[in-house]
Amino acid sequence: MIPPQEASARRREIEDKLKQEEETLSFIRDNLEKSDQLTKNMVSILSSFESRLMKLENSIIPVHKQTENLQRLQENVEKTLSCLDHVISYYHVASDTEKIIREGPTGRLEEYLGSMAKIQKAVEYFQDNSPDSPELNKVKLLFERGKESLESEFRSLMTRHSKVVSPVLILDLISGDDELEVQEEVVLEHLPESALQDVVRISHWLVEYGRNHDFMNVYYQIRSSQLDRSIKGLKEHFRKSSSSSGVPYSPAIPNKRKDTPTKKPVKRPGRDDMLDVETDAYIHCVSAFVKLAQSEYQLLTDIIPEHHQKKTFDSLIQDALDGLMLEGENIVSAARKAIIRHDFSTVLTVFPILRHLKQTKPEFDQVLQGTAASTKNKLPGLITSMETIGAKALEDFADNIKNDPDKEYNMPKDGTVHELTSNAILFLQQLLDFQETAGAMLASQETSSSATSYNSEFSKRLLSTYICKVLGNLQLNLLSKSKVYEDPALSAIFLHNNYNYILKSLEKSELIQLVAVTQKTAERSYREHIEQQIQTYQRSWLKVTDYITEKNLPVFQSGVKLRDKERQMIKERFKGFNDGLEELCKIQKAWAVPDTEQRDRIRQIQKKIVKETYGAFLQRYNNVPFTKNPEKYVKYQVDQVGDMIDRLFDTSA
């Protein structure tokens, strides 16, 4: 049980807490009442504000809408005024631009094109909005006049500024590929930059707005003429320069070159100087065409629309290309006539030209890419013509060597090398410069399966076979010609000289290697022929030495007086030897052995035989009293006989 004192204290504590809670509750209640009052006041204020805002909105919205309508009306008025100004401006275009159009575009192209743009827009406006308006006809006429002026300006610019490329510049352009030294690239400026820009602007306008392609014809006609004249100018330059220095010198790029752009070919005996000049000129013109055509195409791509470029270029190059092809066919025609005349040195002009055409063909094909088939086929057609005529020349030359007549008056009196031999060897040596070309000529006439798989080895074999054929024909003809000589010894000297000339000529050049491709023993065969002819010649001395050989001498006993018959026989032997020696030396002194080594060799062989035989003869009869006048019969000592033989084949002795 809780003591009374503690219960009393606990009650007081509870009463105190209760009193505090009541005070707190009373405070909260007062605050709630104040808050309610404030809320009521705020609601009243907001209600009043809402009422006023609604009144304001009802007043402003009609004003805003009215203002908006007024702004729209103002914009419409401004647009209408702007449209009116725009429309009215079209009616003024003719009068505003007529003076500019009448004066033309020269020197003020941009301003002129600006006026043409205004006229074009006016034309479009009237066509769409007032097709019956007299203003339409006015601006149409003005547009056509302006277009004509632009076409005229295009022609004028092209005509004024398109210049023929000088020969020296073309030569520098060509030589750029051949020079070993690094040099500045040769650039052709066909049109000045300012003129080019104007031409490009006009061409683009004519295509886009003028709906006119006639200017392309104007372009190709003017440029075609310049291209053709440039190439003809180069050819004329060669002709004028030929009288002094052969191949023209080009000074266009100073201090860059040590010699002419192309080295002058080695002069061949029997060739005409003018023929060489014409050949060089044609070769250079072919190269010039390729370079100039490449340059023309680069220029054309800036001026002519892409889908018209190939056709325009095709037309542009026709005159120059046709000129080259015609000249090439003329060369073929001249070669054909030369073959008939058996003038094979002239036919040789085809070889360097054909070689150059085939070397240049890849560049040609690249330049002509995209042109008509007829244009592309022109060069291959010319190459075929040249190969055919070249093969014909080779065939006829071989036949001519075989069938050259044995005319007595045409034979060398001294038995030296025949003109036919020197000409044949010269022709074959010149073929060495064009082995591949000549081989291709021969291959072009082959119908065998091996010809279809043509290569350099096949070409070399064909050429070797051909050379052997010519040499075989020549040998047969020389044998036939040698029979014209009545003296077998002179005939032998003639054959010896010709065979020796052939062999030495083969050995001095690459001909011997070419011959060896199909005839390994050719060199040995010629040496055997040469030796055979020397032996034949030596037999001519038998009629001299037979008088004094031991087998033909009379037998007599030493110390026994000779009978008259024996003395007479000895005298006849001396006389026969002396007369024969003098006669042979007189005749054979006029003969010729041009090869010094062979001449000395023949003399030495003969001298040894004759001196030994004559020496033995003299020793045998030196002390035999067969005559009272020994000096009458013993006319020569052994060394004198040797000296006489040393003067054989020497007309100056």
Side-chain angles (χ1 to χ4, degrees):
M1 187 172 174
I2 301 172
Q5 291 178 340
E6 287 184 12
S8 177
R10 181 81 178 260
R11 188 171 51 252
R12 281 195 301 271
E13 184 180 345
I14 292 169
E15 288 175 352
D16 288 341
K17 285 185 177 182
L18 182 63
K19 187 178 180 180
Q20 286 178 351
E21 291 294 336
E22 288 175 349
E23 288 175 354
T24 301
L25 183 63
S26 176
F27 176 77
I28 291 171
R29 189 180 290 116
D30 290 342
N31 282 336
L32 283 172
E33 288 175 356
K34 289 178 181 179
S35 178
D36 286 344
Q37 187 62 42
L38 286 173
T39 301
K40 287 176 182 179
N41 291 339
M42 181 60 70
V43 168
S44 176
I45 291 168
L46 288 173
S47 296
S48 175
F49 180 76
E50 183 180 7
S51 174
R52 291 179 182 180
L53 190 62
M54 286 180 68
K55 288 179 181 178
L56 181 63
E57 184 178 341
N58 291 334
S59 300
I60 291 297
I61 286 175
V63 174
H64 174 72
K65 286 183 178 178
Q66 189 176 5
T67 303
E68 197 176 57
N69 290 334
L70 287 172
Q71 286 177 337
R72 192 177 294 114
L73 286 171
Q74 186 179 0
E75 287 174 1
N76 288 339
V77 169
E78 288 175 353
K79 286 181 180 179
T80 302
L81 289 172
S82 176
C83 287
L84 284 172
D85 288 340
H86 184 65
V87 170
I88 291 169
S89 70
Y90 288 130
Y91 286 87
H92 294 155
V93 165
S95 58
D96 290 346
T97 59
E98 187 174 9
K99 183 174 183 292
I100 296 174
I101 299 303
R102 186 174 62 250
E103 291 175 354
T106 305
R108 51 195 233 175
L109 182 61
E110 287 304 318
E111 182 185 3
Y112 194 88
L113 291 177
S115 296
M116 288 298 291
K118 291 178 183 178
I119 296 169
Q120 185 180 6
K121 287 179 181 177
V123 170
E124 291 171 354
Y125 171 79
F126 289 120
Q127 282 177 335
D128 293 340
N129 299 283
S130 185
D132 298 328
S133 168
E135 290 297 327
L136 177 59
N137 290 332
K138 194 179 291 185
V139 289
K140 265 189 173 181
L141 286 172
L142 201 56
F143 184 82
E144 289 302 318
R145 189 190 306 170
K147 186 170 71 170
E148 289 173 3
S149 293
L150 284 170
E151 291 170 358
S152 177
E153 178 69 2
F154 183 89
R155 179 187 292 274
S156 176
L157 285 169
M158 290 299 303
T159 304
R160 285 202 318 270
H161 297 289
S162 290
K163 305 296 183 186
V164 172
V165 184
S166 70
V168 289
L169 191 55
I170 295 175
L171 287 171
D172 283 321
L173 189 68
I174 296 170
S175 67
D177 294 341
D178 303 326
E179 291 292 325
L180 295 177
E181 299 177 24
V182 177
Q183 61 170 243
E184 297 175 13
E185 184 182 358
V186 181
V187 179
L188 296 180
E189 185 184 68
H190 294 293
L191 298 172
E193 186 60 31
S194 59
L196 177 60
Q197 289 177 1
D198 285 353
V199 166
V200 171
R201 290 281 285 116
I202 294 173
S203 70
H204 288 177
W205 188 93
L206 289 172
V207 171
E208 188 172 354
Y209 304 110
R211 307 289 189 270
N212 190 331
H213 294 161
D214 290 346
F215 77 94
M216 298 181 198
N217 296 333
V218 171
Y219 177 86
Y220 92 69
Q221 288 166 3
I222 292 172
R223 294 308 308 168
S224 174
S225 174
Q226 300 304 332
L227 175 61
D228 192 39
R229 288 169 60 195
S230 296
I231 293 174
K232 287 177 178 174
L234 177 63
K235 183 178 179 181
E236 189 61 29
H237 186 58
F238 267 82
R239 286 176 174 168
K240 288 180 179 177
S241 304
S242 63
S243 57
S244 56
S245 60
V247 176
Y249 174 74
S250 167
I253 300 181
N255 303 323
K256 289 290 183 183
R257 139 182 330 103
K258 296 178 181 176
D259 57 7
T260 53
T262 55
K263 295 178 175 60
K264 183 168 177 64
V266 177
K267 181 72 178 75
R268 302 292 194 184
R271 289 285 297 277
D272 182 5
D273 283 331
M274 279 309 297
L275 209 57
D276 284 337
V277 170
E278 292 293 328
T279 301
D280 289 341
Y282 186 73
I283 287 173
H284 279 75
C285 286
V286 169
S287 294
F289 172 82
V290 172
K291 293 296 183 184
L292 292 176
Q294 287 172 341
S295 183
E296 285 292 344
Y297 191 77
Q298 290 172 358
L299 177 67
L300 176 143
T301 54
D302 290 331
I303 300 171
I304 305 298
E306 185 175 357
H307 55 288
H308 290 280
Q309 288 172 2
K310 295 294 185 183
K311 184 178 179 182
T312 304
F313 179 69
D314 198 340
S315 301
L316 190 156
I317 62 173
Q318 284 304 314
D319 285 351
L321 182 58
D322 286 345
L324 282 178
M325 295 303 106
L326 177 61
E327 194 171 344
E329 289 298 341
N330 288 340
I331 290 168
V332 171
S333 179
R336 191 174 288 113
K337 293 175 182 176
I339 291 172
I340 295 172
R341 298 193 308 270
H342 293 163
D343 178 12
F344 295 100
S345 63
T346 300
V347 180
L348 284 168
T349 58
V350 170
F351 285 74
I353 291 172
L354 177 58
R355 179 175 64 184
H356 186 70
L357 289 179
K358 295 179 82 170
Q359 288 172 345
T360 314
K361 187 176 180 297
E363 282 187 277
F364 244 98
D365 292 344
Q366 188 175 10
V367 169
L368 301 183
Q369 191 176 10
T371 57
S374 57
T375 303
K376 292 178 183 174
N377 291 335
K378 286 180 180 179
L379 180 65
L382 179 59
I383 287 175
T384 299
S385 294
M386 287 196 169
E387 282 193 331
T388 301
I389 199 65
K392 171 70 173 168
L394 292 174
E395 179 186 347
D396 281 30
F397 178 77
D399 290 342
N400 185 60
I401 293 297
K402 182 179 181 180
N403 301 318
D404 186 70
D406 308 326
K407 296 176 181 176
E408 189 171 345
Y409 66 83
N410 197 35
M411 294 294 290
K413 304 297 182 188
D414 57 359
T416 191
V417 177
H418 197 281
E419 184 182 10
L420 180 69
T421 302
S422 57
N423 286 345
I425 294 299
L426 176 62
F427 185 86
L428 294 179
Q429 285 174 335
Q430 290 178 85
L431 285 186
L432 284 176
D433 295 335
F434 311 101
Q435 292 184 42
E436 194 170 326
T437 305
M441 287 177 175
L442 295 167
S444 69
Q445 306 304 303
E446 290 285 319
T447 56
S448 63
S449 58
S450 58
T452 59
S453 57
Y454 170 74
N455 54 43
S456 59
E457 189 60 35
F458 178 67
S459 165
K460 186 177 283 189
R461 290 194 67 81
L462 278 178
L463 192 55
S464 174
T465 302
Y466 173 77
I467 291 171
C468 291
K469 177 183 177 181
V470 171
L471 292 175
N473 288 352
L474 177 60
Q475 189 171 334
L476 289 173
N477 199 319
L478 290 172
L479 277 170
S480 178
K481 288 184 186 305
S482 69
K483 295 173 183 175
V484 170
Y485 295 112
E486 294 180 1
D487 190 333
L490 181 54
S491 177
I493 288 295
F494 170 76
L495 289 175
H496 163 273
N497 286 334
N498 282 271
Y499 292 155
N500 185 66
Y501 179 84
I502 293 169
L503 178 60
K504 289 294 176 67
S505 299
L506 293 178
E507 290 176 334
K508 285 178 183 176
S509 63
E510 293 177 27
L511 281 172
I512 195 68
Q513 285 92 338
L514 262 179
V515 169
V517 171
T518 53
Q519 283 198 13
K520 306 290 186 187
T521 61
E523 186 175 359
R524 187 181 70 195
S525 177
Y526 273 111
R527 294 193 187 284
E528 290 173 355
H529 287 320
I530 291 167
E531 290 303 314
Q532 184 180 351
Q533 298 311 317
I534 291 175
Q535 292 171 13
T536 301
Y537 161 76
Q538 287 174 341
R539 286 198 285 273
S540 68
W541 281 85
L542 290 177
K543 61 183 179 181
V544 176
T545 55
D546 274 353
Y547 282 105
I548 58 174
T549 52
E550 189 171 346
K551 64 179 180 179
N552 294 328
L553 294 177
V555 179
F556 58 89
Q557 294 179 352
S558 178
V560 178
K561 185 178 180 181
L562 296 174
R563 292 174 293 177
D564 291 343
K565 182 179 179 181
E566 290 173 335
R567 284 197 299 272
Q568 186 60 33
M569 186 176 291
I570 294 171
K571 290 177 183 178
E572 287 175 359
R573 292 287 183 270
F574 271 105
K575 187 176 186 305
F577 173 78
N578 293 335
D579 291 347
L581 176 67
E582 291 168 358
E583 181 186 3
L584 272 189
C585 287
K586 180 182 178 182
I587 292 171
Q588 294 184 8
K589 185 172 72 171
W591 295 355
V593 178
D595 187 311
T596 306
E597 184 181 337
Q598 286 293 312
R599 183 169 64 239
D600 290 344
R601 180 166 171 265
I602 293 171
R603 286 171 176 170
Q604 289 302 321
I605 293 172
Q606 202 57 55
K607 185 165 65 172
K608 181 182 180 187
I609 295 170
V610 175
K611 282 179 69 174
E612 285 179 358
T613 308
Y614 184 60
F617 179 74
L618 277 184
Q619 188 175 5
R620 181 169 187 141
Y621 292 106
N622 198 30
N623 297 318
V624 175
F626 65 91
T627 177
K628 294 179 180 178
N629 302 307
E631 67 278 358
K632 179 180 177 181
Y633 298 99
V634 187
K635 293 174 67 174
Y636 304 104
Q637 296 302 314
V638 173
D639 287 341
Q640 287 178 300
V641 170
D643 291 342
M644 291 173 71
I645 294 174
D646 278 337
R647 290 193 290 272
L648 296 177
F649 319 121
D650 186 0
T651 54
S652 63

